[in-house]
Amino acid sequence: MNLSIVIPLLNEEESLQELHDWIVSVMRSNSFSYEILFVDDGSTDDSWQIICRLSRENSNVKGIRFLRNFGKSQALHAGFKAAEGEVIITMDADLQDNPEEIPELYRLITEEGYDLVSGWKKKRYDSFLSKNMPSKLFNWAARKTSGVKLHDFNCGLKAFDQKVVKNIEVSGEMHRYIPVLAKNAGFSNIGEKVVLHQARKYGKTKFGMERFINGFLDLITIWFVSKFGKRPMHLFGALGVLMFIIGFGFAGYLGIDKLFINPTGRLITDRPQFFLSLTAMIIGTQLFLAGFLGEILIRSRKNEARYTVSEETGHAQKEEQYSS
Ligand code: UDP
Ligand code: MG
């Protein structure tokens, strides 16, 4: 199968039929073998009924329905898990992303050898203040912290080589940072393509202004996890030891001063160095403990893959559906 088109959606009943017809016409005219995977993220309108009907009429349409709304990241996760195509496309269900871009995205992955190609809504049809400007700032920060040089992290239209989606875990609300997750997993060949963007035709956006606050927090998490997630002791342990040494230094100074230099001076507990010493040693111990607990946590999660396999040979090969 050439293509899996993964579409996360929440209450998009007005758009689904139109989106489906449009994708199908693009698939037909390029004679792609394909599947359309609608992931219904807990819609409360008729979206699921429409998906069921589409899937009865067109055997290439598959649907996954969540019991409740779990968020776009989880929807993508489920879609990635089920996808069987050699190239996986993600797109929004609201007709803002244009299916005509798919053939070129497919070509970039299969012929030019990109692991991931992200859409870039160079010309956006969203309101300037609530979206375009914060989004510029957001993308700039994401570029700086992650080192992934994309203009538009949050574009719903993206194309992936199958091995990328089978090797990354889109957890929490990390759908905005899939390229960063891919890069952390070792897929460095990340490209960008300018895509057409339309204004939302039906319904309204599912993410409000809080997206930017959450987005920045997620960015800090991802930066932090990618840097120290596998070695918390290197950060917390080092800081802890440093703090402790500072505290210990002050305590030593106070002790020597009291015993040998100025025994009749102020009480130790009246001096600021005493409090500095106390606080620094307590914080130092806490930081050290945090690092230590982190290390223990990592070691207890043995079965979770912390690496990305690039190739396999022999017996393992049969089990890996994505290596060809
Ligand atoms: N979406 C989803 N789960 C959610 C929120 C949104 O699956 O909890 C889907 C939504 O239906 C759409 C896509 O994610 O297909 C992008 O959402 P939206 O268009 O609201 O975001 P925007 O274009 O404003 O960034
Ligand atoms: Mg949208």
Side-chain angles (χ1 to χ4, degrees), residues 5 8 15-16 36 42 47 79 101-102 122 142 146 175 186 196 198 202 226 229-231 238 243 275 278 286 323:
I5 297 157
S15 317
L16 294 177
I36 304 178
S47 298
E101 308 279 357
I102 294 174
K122 200 168 181 179
S146 69
H175 58 267
L196 289 174
Q198 279 102 235
Y202 309 101
S226 74
K230 286 174 204 74
R231 47 187 189 104
M243 283 299 258
F275 297 98
L278 208 62
Q286 294 290 340
S323 50

PDB file of all heavy atoms in Angstrom, residues 5 8 15-16 36 42 47 79 101-102 122 142 146 175 186 196 198 202 226 229-231 238 243 275 278 286 323:
ATOM      1  N   ILE A   5      -3.578   7.729   4.982  1.00  0.00           N
ATOM      2  CA  ILE A   5      -3.901   9.109   5.307  1.00  0.00           C
ATOM      3  C   ILE A   5      -4.617   9.135   6.648  1.00  0.00           C
ATOM      4  O   ILE A   5      -5.734   8.635   6.782  1.00  0.00           O
ATOM      5  CB  ILE A   5      -4.736   9.749   4.193  1.00  0.00           C
ATOM      6  CG1 ILE A   5      -3.866   9.767   2.936  1.00  0.00           C
ATOM      7  CG2 ILE A   5      -5.164  11.158   4.554  1.00  0.00           C
ATOM      8  CD1 ILE A   5      -4.599   9.832   1.672  1.00  0.00           C
ATOM      9  N   PRO A   8      -7.112  12.922  12.238  1.00  0.00           N
ATOM     10  CA  PRO A   8      -7.720  13.052  13.559  1.00  0.00           C
ATOM     11  C   PRO A   8      -8.865  14.045  13.492  1.00  0.00           C
ATOM     12  O   PRO A   8      -8.765  15.054  12.792  1.00  0.00           O
ATOM     13  CB  PRO A   8      -6.581  13.606  14.422  1.00  0.00           C
ATOM     14  CG  PRO A   8      -5.720  14.354  13.482  1.00  0.00           C
ATOM     15  CD  PRO A   8      -5.865  13.697  12.133  1.00  0.00           C
ATOM     16  N   SER A  15     -17.556  18.458   7.267  1.00  0.00           N
ATOM     17  CA  SER A  15     -16.448  18.417   6.321  1.00  0.00           C
ATOM     18  C   SER A  15     -16.144  17.034   5.768  1.00  0.00           C
ATOM     19  O   SER A  15     -15.544  16.913   4.700  1.00  0.00           O
ATOM     20  CB  SER A  15     -15.172  18.924   6.995  1.00  0.00           C
ATOM     21  OG  SER A  15     -15.425  20.053   7.767  1.00  0.00           O
ATOM     22  N   LEU A  16     -16.547  15.981   6.494  1.00  0.00           N
ATOM     23  CA  LEU A  16     -15.994  14.659   6.211  1.00  0.00           C
ATOM     24  C   LEU A  16     -16.259  14.148   4.802  1.00  0.00           C
ATOM     25  O   LEU A  16     -15.351  13.678   4.114  1.00  0.00           O
ATOM     26  CB  LEU A  16     -16.515  13.650   7.234  1.00  0.00           C
ATOM     27  CG  LEU A  16     -16.012  13.923   8.657  1.00  0.00           C
ATOM     28  CD1 LEU A  16     -16.619  12.939   9.630  1.00  0.00           C
ATOM     29  CD2 LEU A  16     -14.501  13.888   8.713  1.00  0.00           C
ATOM     30  N   ILE A  36      -7.680   5.488   4.034  1.00  0.00           N
ATOM     31  CA  ILE A  36      -7.971   6.707   4.788  1.00  0.00           C
ATOM     32  C   ILE A  36      -8.365   6.273   6.197  1.00  0.00           C
ATOM     33  O   ILE A  36      -9.313   5.514   6.379  1.00  0.00           O
ATOM     34  CB  ILE A  36      -9.131   7.514   4.172  1.00  0.00           C
ATOM     35  CG1 ILE A  36      -8.822   7.850   2.709  1.00  0.00           C
ATOM     36  CG2 ILE A  36      -9.378   8.793   4.961  1.00  0.00           C
ATOM     37  CD1 ILE A  36      -9.938   8.604   2.006  1.00  0.00           C
ATOM     38  N   GLY A  42     -13.591  11.194  19.954  1.00  0.00           N
ATOM     39  CA  GLY A  42     -14.705  11.460  20.875  1.00  0.00           C
ATOM     40  C   GLY A  42     -15.692  12.510  20.403  1.00  0.00           C
ATOM     41  O   GLY A  42     -16.170  13.315  21.205  1.00  0.00           O
ATOM     42  N   SER A  47     -20.249  12.720  13.318  1.00  0.00           N
ATOM     43  CA  SER A  47     -19.025  12.360  12.606  1.00  0.00           C
ATOM     44  C   SER A  47     -18.864  10.846  12.468  1.00  0.00           C
ATOM     45  O   SER A  47     -18.556  10.336  11.392  1.00  0.00           O
ATOM     46  CB  SER A  47     -17.796  12.922  13.320  1.00  0.00           C
ATOM     47  OG  SER A  47     -17.838  14.321  13.346  1.00  0.00           O
ATOM     48  N   GLY A  79      -3.735   6.402  15.038  1.00  0.00           N
ATOM     49  CA  GLY A  79      -3.657   6.311  13.582  1.00  0.00           C
ATOM     50  C   GLY A  79      -2.311   5.749  13.134  1.00  0.00           C
ATOM     51  O   GLY A  79      -2.243   4.895  12.244  1.00  0.00           O
ATOM     52  N   GLU A 101      -1.838  18.328  -2.276  1.00  0.00           N
ATOM     53  CA  GLU A 101      -0.414  18.347  -1.923  1.00  0.00           C
ATOM     54  C   GLU A 101       0.147  16.937  -1.744  1.00  0.00           C
ATOM     55  O   GLU A 101       1.361  16.743  -1.720  1.00  0.00           O
ATOM     56  CB  GLU A 101      -0.197  19.106  -0.598  1.00  0.00           C
ATOM     57  CG  GLU A 101      -0.807  20.482  -0.523  1.00  0.00           C
ATOM     58  CD  GLU A 101       0.061  21.531  -1.199  1.00  0.00           C
ATOM     59  OE1 GLU A 101       1.150  21.167  -1.674  1.00  0.00           O
ATOM     60  OE2 GLU A 101      -0.363  22.705  -1.245  1.00  0.00           O
ATOM     61  N   ILE A 102      -0.749  15.964  -1.596  1.00  0.00           N
ATOM     62  CA  ILE A 102      -0.289  14.623  -1.216  1.00  0.00           C
ATOM     63  C   ILE A 102       0.690  13.987  -2.211  1.00  0.00           C
ATOM     64  O   ILE A 102       1.732  13.482  -1.804  1.00  0.00           O
ATOM     65  CB  ILE A 102      -1.500  13.692  -0.944  1.00  0.00           C
ATOM     66  CG1 ILE A 102      -2.259  14.194   0.284  1.00  0.00           C
ATOM     67  CG2 ILE A 102      -1.045  12.259  -0.730  1.00  0.00           C
ATOM     68  CD1 ILE A 102      -3.538  13.451   0.577  1.00  0.00           C
ATOM     69  N   LYS A 122       2.649  29.016   4.514  1.00  0.00           N
ATOM     70  CA  LYS A 122       3.355  30.294   4.373  1.00  0.00           C
ATOM     71  C   LYS A 122       2.360  31.446   4.362  1.00  0.00           C
ATOM     72  O   LYS A 122       2.561  32.476   4.980  1.00  0.00           O
ATOM     73  CB  LYS A 122       4.175  30.270   3.078  1.00  0.00           C
ATOM     74  CG  LYS A 122       5.278  31.282   3.068  1.00  0.00           C
ATOM     75  CD  LYS A 122       6.233  31.019   1.913  1.00  0.00           C
ATOM     76  CE  LYS A 122       7.357  32.037   1.921  1.00  0.00           C
ATOM     77  NZ  LYS A 122       8.311  31.798   0.846  1.00  0.00           N
ATOM     78  N   ALA A 142      10.508  27.224  19.163  1.00  0.00           N
ATOM     79  CA  ALA A 142      10.665  25.797  18.909  1.00  0.00           C
ATOM     80  C   ALA A 142      11.925  25.523  18.085  1.00  0.00           C
ATOM     81  O   ALA A 142      12.650  24.568  18.338  1.00  0.00           O
ATOM     82  CB  ALA A 142       9.435  25.258  18.187  1.00  0.00           C
ATOM     83  N   SER A 146      14.933  23.315  19.746  1.00  0.00           N
ATOM     84  CA  SER A 146      15.033  21.944  19.243  1.00  0.00           C
ATOM     85  C   SER A 146      16.106  21.777  18.189  1.00  0.00           C
ATOM     86  O   SER A 146      16.574  20.681  17.943  1.00  0.00           O
ATOM     87  CB  SER A 146      13.695  21.509  18.658  1.00  0.00           C
ATOM     88  OG  SER A 146      13.441  22.231  17.469  1.00  0.00           O
ATOM     89  N   HIS A 175       1.752  16.535  19.714  1.00  0.00           N
ATOM     90  CA  HIS A 175       1.562  16.529  18.260  1.00  0.00           C
ATOM     91  C   HIS A 175       2.229  17.733  17.599  1.00  0.00           C
ATOM     92  O   HIS A 175       2.555  17.695  16.425  1.00  0.00           O
ATOM     93  CB  HIS A 175       0.081  16.483  17.905  1.00  0.00           C
ATOM     94  CG  HIS A 175      -0.707  17.626  18.461  1.00  0.00           C
ATOM     95  ND1 HIS A 175      -1.355  17.558  19.669  1.00  0.00           N
ATOM     96  CD2 HIS A 175      -0.929  18.863  17.985  1.00  0.00           C
ATOM     97  CE1 HIS A 175      -1.960  18.704  19.910  1.00  0.00           C
ATOM     98  NE2 HIS A 175      -1.713  19.524  18.907  1.00  0.00           N
ATOM     99  N   GLY A 186      16.342   9.961  15.902  1.00  0.00           N
ATOM    100  CA  GLY A 186      17.432   9.713  14.964  1.00  0.00           C
ATOM    101  C   GLY A 186      17.097   9.939  13.502  1.00  0.00           C
ATOM    102  O   GLY A 186      17.911   9.674  12.624  1.00  0.00           O
ATOM    103  N   LEU A 196      -0.644  24.966   0.446  1.00  0.00           N
ATOM    104  CA  LEU A 196      -1.791  25.875   0.404  1.00  0.00           C
ATOM    105  C   LEU A 196      -2.606  25.720   1.674  1.00  0.00           C
ATOM    106  O   LEU A 196      -2.737  24.638   2.217  1.00  0.00           O
ATOM    107  CB  LEU A 196      -2.681  25.532  -0.792  1.00  0.00           C
ATOM    108  CG  LEU A 196      -2.110  25.886  -2.158  1.00  0.00           C
ATOM    109  CD1 LEU A 196      -3.034  25.362  -3.235  1.00  0.00           C
ATOM    110  CD2 LEU A 196      -1.914  27.383  -2.278  1.00  0.00           C
ATOM    111  N   GLN A 198      -6.331  26.933   3.550  1.00  0.00           N
ATOM    112  CA  GLN A 198      -7.611  27.615   3.392  1.00  0.00           C
ATOM    113  C   GLN A 198      -8.155  28.052   4.743  1.00  0.00           C
ATOM    114  O   GLN A 198      -7.766  27.505   5.762  1.00  0.00           O
ATOM    115  CB  GLN A 198      -8.632  26.671   2.762  1.00  0.00           C
ATOM    116  CG  GLN A 198      -8.520  26.550   1.270  1.00  0.00           C
ATOM    117  CD  GLN A 198      -7.837  25.264   0.854  1.00  0.00           C
ATOM    118  OE1 GLN A 198      -6.864  25.305   0.139  1.00  0.00           O
ATOM    119  NE2 GLN A 198      -8.314  24.131   1.300  1.00  0.00           N
ATOM    120  N   TYR A 202     -16.146  25.000   7.765  1.00  0.00           N
ATOM    121  CA  TYR A 202     -17.269  24.758   8.692  1.00  0.00           C
ATOM    122  C   TYR A 202     -16.734  24.715  10.120  1.00  0.00           C
ATOM    123  O   TYR A 202     -15.558  24.498  10.347  1.00  0.00           O
ATOM    124  CB  TYR A 202     -17.929  23.412   8.407  1.00  0.00           C
ATOM    125  CG  TYR A 202     -18.302  23.202   6.978  1.00  0.00           C
ATOM    126  CD1 TYR A 202     -17.502  22.427   6.156  1.00  0.00           C
ATOM    127  CD2 TYR A 202     -19.461  23.770   6.447  1.00  0.00           C
ATOM    128  CE1 TYR A 202     -17.836  22.208   4.833  1.00  0.00           C
ATOM    129  CE2 TYR A 202     -19.800  23.563   5.132  1.00  0.00           C
ATOM    130  CZ  TYR A 202     -18.985  22.777   4.322  1.00  0.00           C
ATOM    131  OH  TYR A 202     -19.319  22.566   3.020  1.00  0.00           O
ATOM    132  N   SER A 226      14.592  15.525  26.171  1.00  0.00           N
ATOM    133  CA  SER A 226      15.549  15.046  25.179  1.00  0.00           C
ATOM    134  C   SER A 226      16.974  15.256  25.674  1.00  0.00           C
ATOM    135  O   SER A 226      17.888  14.549  25.295  1.00  0.00           O
ATOM    136  CB  SER A 226      15.325  15.740  23.838  1.00  0.00           C
ATOM    137  OG  SER A 226      15.789  17.060  23.911  1.00  0.00           O
ATOM    138  N   GLY A 229      16.503  13.403  29.876  1.00  0.00           N
ATOM    139  CA  GLY A 229      15.562  12.326  30.166  1.00  0.00           C
ATOM    140  C   GLY A 229      16.247  10.999  30.426  1.00  0.00           C
ATOM    141  O   GLY A 229      15.740  10.169  31.170  1.00  0.00           O
ATOM    142  N   LYS A 230      17.370  10.786  29.783  1.00  0.00           N
ATOM    143  CA  LYS A 230      18.032   9.491  29.951  1.00  0.00           C
ATOM    144  C   LYS A 230      19.144   9.551  30.977  1.00  0.00           C
ATOM    145  O   LYS A 230      19.781   8.551  31.272  1.00  0.00           O
ATOM    146  CB  LYS A 230      18.568   9.015  28.597  1.00  0.00           C
ATOM    147  CG  LYS A 230      17.457   8.537  27.702  1.00  0.00           C
ATOM    148  CD  LYS A 230      17.946   8.199  26.309  1.00  0.00           C
ATOM    149  CE  LYS A 230      16.807   8.298  25.320  1.00  0.00           C
ATOM    150  NZ  LYS A 230      16.444   9.712  25.017  1.00  0.00           N
ATOM    151  N   ARG A 231      19.408  10.742  31.513  1.00  0.00           N
ATOM    152  CA  ARG A 231      20.496  10.847  32.498  1.00  0.00           C
ATOM    153  C   ARG A 231      20.221  11.980  33.495  1.00  0.00           C
ATOM    154  O   ARG A 231      20.977  12.947  33.575  1.00  0.00           O
ATOM    155  CB  ARG A 231      21.827  11.091  31.777  1.00  0.00           C
ATOM    156  CG  ARG A 231      21.701  12.176  30.721  1.00  0.00           C
ATOM    157  CD  ARG A 231      22.943  12.324  29.872  1.00  0.00           C
ATOM    158  NE  ARG A 231      22.796  13.514  29.051  1.00  0.00           N
ATOM    159  CZ  ARG A 231      23.413  14.674  29.288  1.00  0.00           C
ATOM    160  NH1 ARG A 231      24.234  14.808  30.287  1.00  0.00           N
ATOM    161  NH2 ARG A 231      23.205  15.706  28.498  1.00  0.00           N
ATOM    162  N   ALA A 238      24.633  16.857  39.660  1.00  0.00           N
ATOM    163  CA  ALA A 238      25.673  17.886  39.602  1.00  0.00           C
ATOM    164  C   ALA A 238      25.240  19.135  40.370  1.00  0.00           C
ATOM    165  O   ALA A 238      25.991  19.665  41.193  1.00  0.00           O
ATOM    166  CB  ALA A 238      25.972  18.223  38.152  1.00  0.00           C
ATOM    167  N   MET A 243      25.437  22.582  45.188  1.00  0.00           N
ATOM    168  CA  MET A 243      24.752  23.275  46.278  1.00  0.00           C
ATOM    169  C   MET A 243      25.268  22.804  47.630  1.00  0.00           C
ATOM    170  O   MET A 243      25.497  23.588  48.546  1.00  0.00           O
ATOM    171  CB  MET A 243      23.238  22.994  46.211  1.00  0.00           C
ATOM    172  CG  MET A 243      22.496  23.765  45.166  1.00  0.00           C
ATOM    173  SD  MET A 243      22.610  25.508  45.435  1.00  0.00           S
ATOM    174  CE  MET A 243      21.025  25.830  46.135  1.00  0.00           C
ATOM    175  N   PHE A 275      22.200  30.583  57.745  1.00  0.00           N
ATOM    176  CA  PHE A 275      20.986  30.267  56.973  1.00  0.00           C
ATOM    177  C   PHE A 275      21.320  29.876  55.541  1.00  0.00           C
ATOM    178  O   PHE A 275      20.714  28.979  54.980  1.00  0.00           O
ATOM    179  CB  PHE A 275      20.011  31.452  57.031  1.00  0.00           C
ATOM    180  CG  PHE A 275      19.539  31.714  58.425  1.00  0.00           C
ATOM    181  CD1 PHE A 275      20.120  32.693  59.200  1.00  0.00           C
ATOM    182  CD2 PHE A 275      18.537  30.927  58.978  1.00  0.00           C
ATOM    183  CE1 PHE A 275      19.698  32.916  60.495  1.00  0.00           C
ATOM    184  CE2 PHE A 275      18.109  31.130  60.273  1.00  0.00           C
ATOM    185  CZ  PHE A 275      18.696  32.128  61.038  1.00  0.00           C
ATOM    186  N   LEU A 278      22.548  26.327  55.700  1.00  0.00           N
ATOM    187  CA  LEU A 278      21.450  25.394  55.952  1.00  0.00           C
ATOM    188  C   LEU A 278      20.622  25.154  54.686  1.00  0.00           C
ATOM    189  O   LEU A 278      20.378  24.024  54.269  1.00  0.00           O
ATOM    190  CB  LEU A 278      20.565  25.992  57.049  1.00  0.00           C
ATOM    191  CG  LEU A 278      19.801  25.025  57.937  1.00  0.00           C
ATOM    192  CD1 LEU A 278      20.775  24.153  58.708  1.00  0.00           C
ATOM    193  CD2 LEU A 278      18.910  25.813  58.899  1.00  0.00           C
ATOM    194  N   GLN A 286      18.195  17.548  48.337  1.00  0.00           N
ATOM    195  CA  GLN A 286      16.951  17.300  47.589  1.00  0.00           C
ATOM    196  C   GLN A 286      17.216  17.107  46.100  1.00  0.00           C
ATOM    197  O   GLN A 286      16.667  16.202  45.471  1.00  0.00           O
ATOM    198  CB  GLN A 286      15.974  18.481  47.770  1.00  0.00           C
ATOM    199  CG  GLN A 286      15.447  18.653  49.172  1.00  0.00           C
ATOM    200  CD  GLN A 286      14.495  17.543  49.558  1.00  0.00           C
ATOM    201  OE1 GLN A 286      13.955  16.876  48.691  1.00  0.00           O
ATOM    202  NE2 GLN A 286      14.292  17.342  50.828  1.00  0.00           N
ATOM    203  N   SER A 323       9.980  -3.020   8.350  1.00  0.00           N
ATOM    204  CA  SER A 323      11.235  -3.072   7.598  1.00  0.00           C
ATOM    205  C   SER A 323      10.994  -3.833   6.310  1.00  0.00           C
ATOM    206  O   SER A 323      10.302  -4.839   6.280  1.00  0.00           O
ATOM    207  CB  SER A 323      12.322  -3.734   8.429  1.00  0.00           C
ATOM    208  OG  SER A 323      11.833  -4.947   8.947  1.00  0.00           O
TER     209      SER A 323
END
